[in-house]
Amino acid sequence: MEAPVLPRPADITPELRRFLDARFFSQADLAAAADVEAEIRGRYAELEALVSDLSVRLAAAAAAYSSSCSAAGTALSNVRGCLASLNASTSAPGVTEEVEVGSEEMLFEQLSSLAKEVAKVELVRDYAETALKLDSFVGDVEDAVSSSVTGKLKSRAESSLKTYHVPIGYLKTIEDILTSVTKTRPQWTRLISAVDHRVDRSLALLRPQAIVDHRALLASLGWPPSFSGTNFSSINSGKPSEIVNPLFSMKGDLKSKYSESFLSLCSLQELQKRRKARQLQGHILNNQLRQPLWVIEELVNPIAAAAQRHFSKWVEKPEFVFALAYKITRDFVDSMDEILQPLVDKANLVGYSCREEWISGMVITLSTYLAKEIFPKHIELLQEISSADASSKQSQARVSWLNLIDLMISFDKQTQALISSSGLLLPVKDDDNWQRISVLSVFCDRPDWLEIWAEIERQDTHDKLRLSMENEKNWNTRFQGTMLEYGSDDYKSPAITGVIQKGLSLLIDRARPIPNIALRAEFINISTSPLISEFLGWMLRRCQEAEGLTALADDNALLKVSQSINAARYLESTLTEWCDDVFFLQMENIDGRSECIFQVEINRLKDFRVQWTEKISTVILRDFDARSRDYLKNKRQWQEKSEGLALSRAFVECLDYMQGRIAKLEDGLNVLDFVTVWRTVASGVDQLLFSGIFTGSTKFSNGGVERLHGDLSILFAAFSAWCLRPEGFFPRLSEGLKLLDVDEQQLRDGTFTDNNRLREYGIRRLTAAEVEKIIKNRIYES
């Protein structure tokens, strides 16, 4: 018997070679050749059975189509018979007029039913043709997929790559038909579902096999490259990279094979994107259709696995981890633009940038490693501190944590610079897109870690600010802030407010890179709110100390309270200004919040400021009341004739004291709160003097009226330093004095008995009873 001829080595495909190598490691394995043959024959029998099953299904489909055609033919025959009968009834000779009328009525009745029958037949025919067409294409896909899978042992790799274009072409045609059916015949849901089910089964075989072939090509290219000998000192220098890029070195047939495989995967992903868009039509998609680029994932995954072997050596040196991750990202990013992006564009994958996808893949790789290896160790270090030197260890743990955050923020800045350096505009910073290119997205999955970070930042900032708040010099030295809404003076706030503002700004800057609005708001709330409350507590204690020592009767005590009021005013204004920034406006619509994130703190600062400005006004009025008591008790002075200058010495002394206190406040208090204080004092003095002078049974002679004119002119002059028309801030005193100046003849005419006449005369704040009492107490001398 003639010995079988062995195939030439050149005719053995790589798949067959791998199949044989997996089963014959040594010469001793040749004894199992019969088992291998039985395995191959078993696979062949399975494939034969699959082909037989496909033949049976094709015959069934043909029979169904034949049955549909037969039913359609019968229906058309019935229509044709009805039309013939209709024609005969309308054209028969000798019919009477009554018969013609009846025939017309029957014709109109039959037309509607005939139209419905024709429409049904047309629909059945359309359905049958579409179903048969789809069945034919799906069968072609299943055959092509089967041949591409089973042909691995018989054909070369390059021919297997080309076979993917055939089923992908069929799949695109099927998707075009299904898209058209979805728009024109949405009621054919069962047909669409059946086809989708069969296509899904084919894709479940096709995509994994395409990925396996693509990975084999990458391995033959030498991907991933070796990192041995990488020089990290060249990261920030202008030296060329030491990592060889296989994408630049591939040439000829190998480059052609890789391009074909790349396009096949891209075409599959574009097809998958179209199918998902059709299946989810009518639903809120957002970014549900967005998937990482498969071909870039196949580049990232092996290089990430290789890089993590180096990462594991540097758990205690995270700066090396970030350095290597950035170097890999930077050194391969140019090849994404020059080699791969044209292929993606050729595959019509709209909205994908290879540069951005590559950077995103490396960022996700680093984030995953940080979440699994780095952060858990820092958490354990923070939680296990319980020994005698816990304070120093905890301080070291916090420093290590903050150093890690610094590295993450720096890495994000570098990678985002890589995206924008090519002229590619950064997308709008919505949460989903931003998280893909930020390693800080690790906190999006672990908000409890974000709380730890915010608390560490708060504690670190608090330790620095506490020393500044304890330094009395920072309270006595003014901080030159921004200008007020009007006037030329500044806030007159102490220097400590500048320190507090800087500390809060640094915390807010730490929150800016967080790629989630809700988490940014939470970070700012956790880190800044306690510091503002602490500062408010310091201001309150200082005011209470000043009040407890001298009841605010001393100028130094007033100055101490003024400093706290100025600080509260400046911080309140700063927070309000921040709230108008877009960064904070974005946070107003989360968690049902409709106000600024700092609104609670702003309200507390405002309440504190209002409370203590009212206390200052009350203290000044209380002192004025005590000093003017004898002046108000002297009722006889209003009936005496004045000799010389008509002034009351006691009243002048009261005004001198009050003017001095207010002048001191003008030097120490900010303009806005100072205006509030002196207006409140003016209103209180107006009520106090009016009640003491006019509400009793005091009689006023001409000399008394002249004296009162002199006293009130001094009062108005005292307040003229802070307003142009001081009389307007003492309305009751001004109107009372105006009534005392009324002529006796006017009283007899009844001018001041009518309320309308009173308003015409300028009396608006006094009641009719008060007007009557003042007029009755006026004594006119002949």
Side-chain angles (χ1 to χ4, degrees):
M1 182 177 180
E2 186 178 356
V5 179
L6 294 176
R8 295 179 302 170
D11 295 334
I12 301 177
T13 64
E15 290 80 2
L16 180 59
R17 190 186 302 278
R18 286 196 296 270
F19 177 81
L20 296 175
D21 289 343
R23 286 161 177 77
F24 300 104
F25 288 103
S26 62
Q27 189 173 3
D29 294 333
L30 293 175
D35 296 335
V36 174
E37 181 183 2
E39 180 183 355
I40 295 175
R41 291 184 180 278
R43 289 191 182 184
Y44 180 77
E46 291 177 0
L47 295 175
E48 288 290 339
L50 179 62
V51 172
S52 176
D53 179 61
L54 291 175
S55 299
V56 171
R57 288 164 59 190
L58 181 60
Y65 177 69
S66 176
S67 175
S68 299
C69 290
S70 177
T74 302
L76 288 173
S77 298
N78 293 335
V79 172
R80 187 181 296 107
C82 292
L83 290 175
S85 301
L86 180 62
N87 183 46
S89 63
T90 56
S91 60
V95 293
T96 63
E97 185 176 347
E98 291 80 5
V99 173
E100 290 180 358
V101 173
S103 299
E104 290 178 0
E105 292 178 355
M106 182 182 68
L107 173 62
F108 284 115
E109 290 176 358
Q110 290 179 348
L111 280 178
S112 176
S113 60
L114 287 174
K116 292 180 181 179
E117 290 294 329
V118 171
K120 289 180 181 179
V121 171
E122 183 67 23
L123 183 63
V124 169
R125 184 181 65 81
D126 191 13
Y127 184 89
E129 290 180 354
T130 303
L132 190 61
K133 187 185 299 183
L134 286 172
D135 184 74
S136 175
F137 281 122
V138 173
D140 291 339
V141 169
E142 291 171 342
D143 292 342
V145 170
S146 176
S147 63
S148 66
V149 172
T150 58
K152 300 301 179 183
L153 299 177
K154 302 177 182 180
S155 60
R156 293 181 175 274
E158 53 266 29
S159 61
S160 67
L161 288 175
K162 294 180 180 178
T163 58
Y164 291 126
H165 293 293
V166 177
I168 291 174
Y170 289 143
L171 287 170
K172 288 184 176 180
T173 303
I174 293 172
E175 186 57 33
D176 291 338
I177 296 174
L178 290 179
T179 301
S180 176
V181 169
T182 302
K183 294 178 180 178
T184 59
R185 307 290 186 184
Q187 68 272 24
W188 294 355
T189 54
R190 293 186 179 180
L191 174 64
I192 296 173
S193 177
V195 174
D196 277 338
H197 179 67
R198 292 177 64 183
V199 169
D200 285 338
R201 288 192 302 177
S202 297
L203 286 175
L205 295 174
L206 187 62
R207 180 189 171 188
Q209 189 59 49
I211 290 177
V212 168
D213 290 341
H214 189 76
R215 290 174 180 173
L217 267 176
L218 285 176
S220 65
L221 287 174
W223 190 274
S226 175
F227 301 144
S228 59
T230 299
N231 183 10
F232 297 104
S233 63
S234 64
I235 290 178
N236 295 318
S237 65
K239 298 179 181 179
S241 172
E242 296 181 7
I243 303 178
V244 179
N245 190 343
L247 298 178
F248 280 129
S249 59
M250 62 180 181
K251 298 179 180 178
D253 190 43
L254 192 59
K255 184 175 182 178
S256 176
K257 293 177 186 177
Y258 179 76
S259 299
E260 289 290 332
S261 179
F262 190 98
L263 287 172
S264 297
L265 274 183
C266 287
S267 298
L268 278 176
Q269 185 166 6
E270 191 270 339
L271 173 68
Q272 184 72 7
K273 184 178 178 181
R274 287 179 58 195
R275 296 184 75 239
K276 288 296 181 183
R278 171 178 56 80
Q279 293 168 353
L280 296 175
Q281 188 175 5
H283 297 77
I284 300 176
L285 300 180
N286 293 332
N287 287 323
Q288 296 178 21
L289 299 179
R290 175 78 188 195
Q291 287 185 332
L293 202 55
W294 295 348
V295 285
I296 301 300
E297 275 190 325
E298 296 306 317
L299 291 173
V300 171
N301 291 339
I303 206 168
Q308 286 188 12
R309 290 193 291 270
H310 294 271
F311 291 168
S312 60
K313 305 174 186 177
W314 302 323
V315 176
E316 303 298 330
K317 297 283 187 180
E319 59 271 18
F320 290 162
V321 173
F322 285 93
L324 179 58
Y326 176 67
K327 184 171 181 62
I328 295 172
T329 306
R330 184 197 64 185
D331 289 351
F332 292 96
V333 75
D334 290 337
S335 60
M336 303 297 149
D337 287 339
E338 299 176 16
I339 299 176
L340 304 185
Q341 187 63 47
L343 296 177
V344 171
D345 296 338
K346 184 177 180 180
N348 293 325
L349 261 177
V350 180
Y352 282 97
S353 163
C354 289
R355 171 181 285 262
E356 185 178 340
E357 291 295 321
W358 167 256
I359 293 173
S360 173
M362 292 305 301
V363 166
I364 292 173
T365 297
L366 181 57
S367 300
T368 304
Y369 180 77
L370 293 175
K372 290 183 177 179
E373 303 294 338
I374 303 297
F375 271 102
K377 295 185 181 299
H378 282 76
I379 298 295
E380 291 177 6
L381 187 61
L382 288 170
Q383 293 176 345
E384 292 177 357
I385 296 172
S386 59
S387 58
D389 58 343
S391 178
S392 61
K393 285 187 176 180
Q394 189 162 10
S395 177
Q396 294 175 2
R398 292 205 306 265
V399 169
S400 298
W401 181 286
L402 295 177
N403 179 58
L404 177 61
I405 298 298
D406 290 338
L407 291 171
M408 295 172 70
I409 294 175
S410 176
F411 181 82
D412 278 352
K413 290 180 179 178
Q414 291 175 320
T415 53
Q416 290 169 16
L418 284 178
I419 294 178
S420 58
S421 64
S422 65
L424 180 68
L425 295 177
L426 283 172
V428 178
K429 282 190 174 181
D430 61 275
D431 288 355
D432 292 332
N433 284 332
W434 197 357
Q435 289 172 18
R436 294 174 58 248
I437 56 174
S438 172
V439 289
L440 289 173
S441 60
V442 67
F443 294 110
C444 298
D445 298 324
R446 294 300 302 266
D448 54 324
W449 291 355
L450 180 91
E451 295 177 5
I452 295 175
W453 173 27
E455 183 59 30
I456 291 175
E457 294 280 4
R458 184 204 64 80
Q459 186 63 44
D460 183 65
T461 305
H462 176 268
D463 293 342
K464 298 173 183 177
L465 296 181
R466 188 177 185 84
L467 297 175
S468 299
M469 287 188 287
E470 291 175 349
N471 187 354
E472 188 65 24
K473 183 180 179 181
N474 289 329
W475 292 92
N476 296 328
T477 306
R478 285 189 181 178
F479 168 67
Q480 295 298 324
T482 55
M483 308 303 287
L484 286 176
E485 287 86 345
Y486 62 89
S488 59
D489 203 354
D490 61 6
Y491 285 98
K492 299 180 181 178
S493 58
I496 185 62
T497 54
V499 179
I500 297 296
Q501 180 196 25
K502 184 178 180 180
L504 295 176
S505 297
L506 290 176
L507 289 174
I508 292 170
D509 289 341
R510 298 288 274 180
R512 291 184 187 275
I514 299 175
N516 182 277
I517 295 177
L519 293 183
R520 288 200 295 273
E522 183 179 1
F523 180 92
I524 292 173
N525 185 55
I526 294 174
S527 60
T528 61
S529 294
L531 294 180
I532 297 174
S533 298
E534 175 78 8
F535 183 57
L536 187 59
W538 273 85
M539 292 190 294
L540 180 60
R541 285 192 294 271
R542 288 176 63 83
C543 292
Q544 289 173 341
E545 289 174 2
E547 184 183 30
L549 290 175
T550 64
L552 302 182
D554 182 61
D555 289 340
N556 291 330
L558 278 182
L559 178 61
K560 198 170 187 178
V561 173
S562 298
Q563 291 169 345
S564 296
I565 293 175
N566 293 341
R569 165 68 75 174
Y570 179 76
L571 188 56
E572 176 191 344
S573 177
T574 299
L575 296 179
T576 303
E577 183 180 350
W578 285 351
C579 287
D580 293 332
D581 189 89
V582 175
F583 177 75
F584 293 101
L585 290 175
Q586 293 175 338
M587 303 178 189
E588 292 186 4
N589 298 322
I590 61 174
D591 300 333
R593 182 189 290 121
S594 59
E595 58 184 14
C596 176
I597 190 174
F598 294 118
Q599 194 59 50
V600 174
E601 288 73 22
I602 291 173
N603 292 339
R604 292 179 62 191
L605 289 167
K606 183 178 180 180
D607 291 341
F608 167 82
R609 185 173 48 77
V610 170
Q611 175 188 357
W612 285 96
T613 52
E614 289 179 352
K615 284 191 176 185
I616 290 177
S617 302
T618 301
V619 168
I620 296 176
L621 286 172
R622 185 179 61 210
D623 290 344
F624 180 81
D625 181 31
R627 293 174 180 271
S628 63
R629 195 162 298 162
D630 292 340
Y631 167 75
L632 295 176
K633 286 182 178 180
N634 185 6
K635 306 295 185 179
R636 296 180 59 185
Q637 61 180 327
W638 310 119
Q639 302 175 23
E640 297 175 351
K641 292 184 178 181
S642 58
E643 298 178 0
L645 187 61
L647 292 175
S648 299
R649 182 174 180 179
F651 186 68
V652 172
E653 291 176 354
C654 294
L655 288 179
D656 183 62
Y657 168 77
M658 181 180 65
Q659 188 180 26
R661 302 290 314 263
I662 296 177
K664 289 285 186 182
L665 280 175
E666 185 178 15
D667 292 335
L669 197 59
N670 68 82
V671 174
L672 293 180
D673 288 310
F674 172 72
V675 169
T676 301
V677 168
W678 75 254
R679 288 184 176 180
T680 304
V681 171
S683 177
V685 169
D686 182 50
Q687 182 64 38
L688 178 67
L689 293 181
F690 183 85
S691 300
I693 296 175
F694 292 103
T695 57
S697 58
T698 306
K699 304 295 183 180
F700 291 89
S701 64
N702 291 341
V705 173
E706 186 179 352
R707 179 183 294 273
L708 183 59
H709 263 289
D711 292 346
L712 294 186
S713 64
I714 296 297
L715 173 64
F716 298 155
F719 281 85
S720 63
W722 307 302
C723 60
L724 296 176
R725 187 176 171 274
E727 296 86 351
F729 295 95
F730 300 91
R732 296 174 67 82
L733 286 174
S734 299
E735 292 180 5
L737 187 60
K738 186 180 295 185
L739 289 173
L740 292 178
D741 288 335
V742 173
D743 294 337
E744 187 176 4
Q745 182 62 38
Q746 289 179 300
L747 293 179
R748 291 173 182 169
D749 294 341
T751 304
F752 295 96
T753 58
D754 186 358
N755 289 335
N756 293 330
R757 299 287 297 275
L758 285 175
R759 295 183 66 84
E760 292 176 4
Y761 198 72
I763 308 301
R764 294 180 175 85
R765 302 299 182 92
L766 301 182
T767 64
E770 291 172 336
V771 171
E772 183 180 1
K773 179 178 288 189
I774 293 173
I775 291 175
K776 286 182 178 180
N777 289 331
R778 179 69 165 91
I779 300 174
Y780 291 96
E781 300 174 3
S782 57

